[in-house]
Amino acid sequence: MIRNARIGAAEVEALAAHAGLPLAPGRAAVIAPVLDAWVADANALSRKMSEERCRLLVPVTVLVHPQTDEAER
Amino acid sequence: MSRDQHELVSLTLTEAARLVSTREVSPVELVEATLERIAAVNPRLAAYITVFEQEAMQVARAAELMVLAGHNLGPLHGVPIALKDNVATRGARTTAGSKILADWVPEHDATVTARLRAAGAILVGKLNLHEFAWGGTSANPHWGTVRNPWNIERFPAGSSGGSGAAVAARACFGAIGTDTGGSIRLPSAVNGIVGLRPTYGRVSNHGIVPLAWSMDTAGPMTRTVEDCALMFSAIAGHDPKDATTARAPVADYMVGLGDGLAGLRIGVVPGYFFHHLQPPVHDAVRGALDRMVALGAQLVDVEIADIHGNISAQLTIESAEPSTYHQRWLRERPDDYGDDVRTLLEVGELLLATHYLQAQRYRALLRNQFMDAFRRVDVFVCPTLPFTATRVGEAKVVIEDGVEEDMLSAIMQFTGVPSLTGLPSLAVPCGFDPDGLPVGMQIIGRPFDEATLLRAGAAFQAATDFHRRAPEL
């Protein structure tokens, strides 16, 4: 199994820069432990969802048809 | 017309509506008593952000005249109701519990607001919540920390904490909450009231400040299941202004409440539903199941193979979607958020798109497994959350073995399942811990089968008195 790299303040700052998210001083250290824990769990879920038995599953997203609703308005 | 304030505010919503319709109680009396009750308890609870003193009295006087003229607007005619403050009210500020929207005065009602008004409800105010509904404690840095009426040193959960506290404290007859990851059911459980998270798409979200679009729902919070059914009937149904609402027929939810539990098949997932619980919660929910079996229900053990993983999926979706909605404000006004919500919004920006989409694929997996199980059971019953109300201000919780856990992850142990699957879920009081704090159970049903949940909850309340107990304030 691939171990997750730990996420510290430096990694948070790099990710935030990629996201175009300015972080005030000290914010990266606050975010890092939360993100580290959540990403580890999210990666575990991603491994589960990458199993062959899940190959045909489609994400729960919604496509609405606004023209139908416009007619109702 | 001689009932005192305590007697009036102690009526259930259904009783109050009936007494108004038979002219035994005036809407003016109900609103006066409710406003007095709010004034008495709100300084301790911080449940209300805004109270509509003048407007509510004006509407009450009009409602009284209508009753005297033989005209009844609908099933909620003359009954004081309150709204979580992320639900838009025309001409009245709607803050979402935030500093950012502190001065927002909507030009239109949310559909839920409009439907309550059309049913005759008198809106008495807007209720406090966790900032932007993104959190489970209702410790709001802008509008005050909401407190639990059973013990004001304890939290009311959230995010609809003001709704839960106000209903339990008899400071309104019913309230609207919103629920993304548990925000109706959690405060219902820890405040000892009933709360319904409807099937996703059953109630319109139009005019409600979003948290996570793919999971947001609105629903009633009341003291009894019967009240919940009455209020739900007024707000359920397709809305052309919300394309995610369904066209599935709306049942008369008051019919069938007395049909009992005989033959009802209750599913439990033994490896998940009764693990990792504070002992009083375990005992109360087990006791509730025993009671339901004694009333004619059958228990069926069910395996949901992939139920583990739901908390991560929940957190991923519930952080990525709000961070999308808040993207501009987070860059322009980061200091206007409370510390905890700011952190969650920043975290949500840093997850990967693949994390989000795998979580959305997991929802399909989990839903398929529950739908398969519904061939053998009619409902599932589990705890609403694994612990009772913690002390105000705590970010950690101890559930077992003295181990401290992160509150946000722990609080979603059971509420995440309906949120991810879109299934309806009813929170019902089912006991108290040794400190006198309420315990709630959660009844989960098939899509659009809220009627069965309400039937089961009503049968349980007919045989128990947990919902009749009131906090002393």
Side-chain angles (χ1 to χ4, degrees), chain B residues 407-461:
Chain B
M407 172 83 76
L408 189 61
S409 299
I411 208 168
M412 291 180 177
Q413 182 175 339
F414 302 109
T415 54
V417 166
S419 296
L420 290 166
T421 56
L423 299 172
S425 175
L426 182 71
V428 180
C430 69
F432 289 86
D433 75 3
D435 293 328
L437 297 168
V439 177
M441 66 175 168
Q442 190 178 207
I443 310 173
I444 303 167
R446 298 186 180 96
F448 302 106
D449 191 19
E450 286 87 354
T452 297
L453 307 187
L454 295 164
R455 167 191 151 205
F460 182 76
Q461 291 201 325

Side-chain angles (χ1 to χ4, degrees), chain B residues 161-177:
Chain B
S163 303
V167 171
R170 278 61 178 162
C172 60
F173 289 83
I176 289 294

Side-chain angles (χ1 to χ4, degrees), chain B residues 231-306:
Chain B
M231 213 169 145
F232 182 49
S233 298
I235 62 172
H238 176 253
D239 176 14
K241 294 176 181 172
D242 179 353
T244 65
T245 52
R247 295 174 187 277
V250 177
D252 181 343
Y253 298 107
M254 299 298 281
V255 173
L257 288 180
D259 286 354
L261 291 174
L264 188 78
R265 299 169 301 171
I266 298 175
V268 295
V269 184
Y272 192 81
F273 285 2
F274 291 99
H275 282 249
H276 194 246
L277 300 172
Q278 287 181 345
V281 175
H282 177 278
D283 295 347
V285 179
R286 273 289 178 200
L289 282 170
D290 291 343
R291 180 66 67 96
M292 295 172 91
V293 168
L295 294 169
Q298 307 165 34
L299 291 191
V300 181
D301 283 352
V302 176
E303 184 189 4
I304 302 291
D306 289 295

Side-chain angles (χ1 to χ4, degrees), chain A residues 18-44:
Chain A
H18 282 298
L21 175 66
L23 292 179
R27 294 301 305 163
V30 174
I31 295 165
V34 182
L35 188 65
D36 185 55
W38 289 19
V39 165
D41 290 344
N43 285 343

Side-chain angles (χ1 to χ4, degrees), chain A residues 9-64:
Chain A
E11 286 75 19
V12 168
E13 286 171 359
L15 286 167
H18 282 298
L21 175 66
L23 292 179
R27 294 301 305 163
V30 174
I31 295 165
V34 182
L35 188 65
D36 185 55
W38 289 19
V39 165
D41 290 344
N43 285 343
L45 186 66
S46 293
R47 286 193 291 273
K48 178 201 289 273
M49 298 311 301
S50 298
E51 293 171 8
E52 175 60 23
R53 66 189 175 101
C54 297
R55 186 167 54 88
L56 299 180
L57 288 170
V58 174
V60 173
T61 51
V62 177
L63 176 66
V64 295

Side-chain angles (χ1 to χ4, degrees), chain B residues 13 52 59 63 72-84 87-90 109-127 163 172-178 203-204 208 218-222 227-236:
Chain B
L13 188 160
F52 302 144
V59 176
N72 196 313
L73 276 177
L76 303 177
H77 189 92
V79 180
I81 300 287
L83 302 169
K84 186 176 180 180
V87 181
T89 39
R90 185 191 62 243
D109 277 339
T111 296
V112 165
T113 308
R115 287 185 177 178
L116 288 171
R117 290 192 207 270
I122 299 177
L123 304 181
V124 290
K126 305 294 291 292
L127 295 158
S163 303
C172 60
F173 289 83
I176 289 294
T178 61
V203 172
S204 172
I208 297 175
M221 299 169 70
T222 57
D227 292 354
C228 193
L230 187 63
M231 213 169 145
F232 182 49
S233 298
I235 62 172

Side-chain angles (χ1 to χ4, degrees), chain B residues 106-195:
Chain B
E107 295 180 359
H108 302 284
D109 277 339
T111 296
V112 165
T113 308
R115 287 185 177 178
L116 288 171
R117 290 192 207 270
I122 299 177
L123 304 181
V124 290
K126 305 294 291 292
L127 295 158
N128 204 347
L129 63 153
H130 205 109
E131 182 182 9
F132 280 116
W134 197 176
T137 67
S138 303
N140 189 307
H142 314 295
W143 302 98
T145 294
V146 188
R147 291 171 181 270
N148 191 314
W150 292 91
N151 179 340
I152 61 170
E153 300 303 319
R154 303 294 179 126
F155 87 151
S159 63
S160 310
S163 303
V167 171
R170 278 61 178 162
C172 60
F173 289 83
I176 289 294
T178 61
D179 188 314
T180 303
S183 289
I184 287 174
R185 294 159 288 158
L186 297 167
S188 294
V190 305
N191 290 289
I193 65 167
V194 174

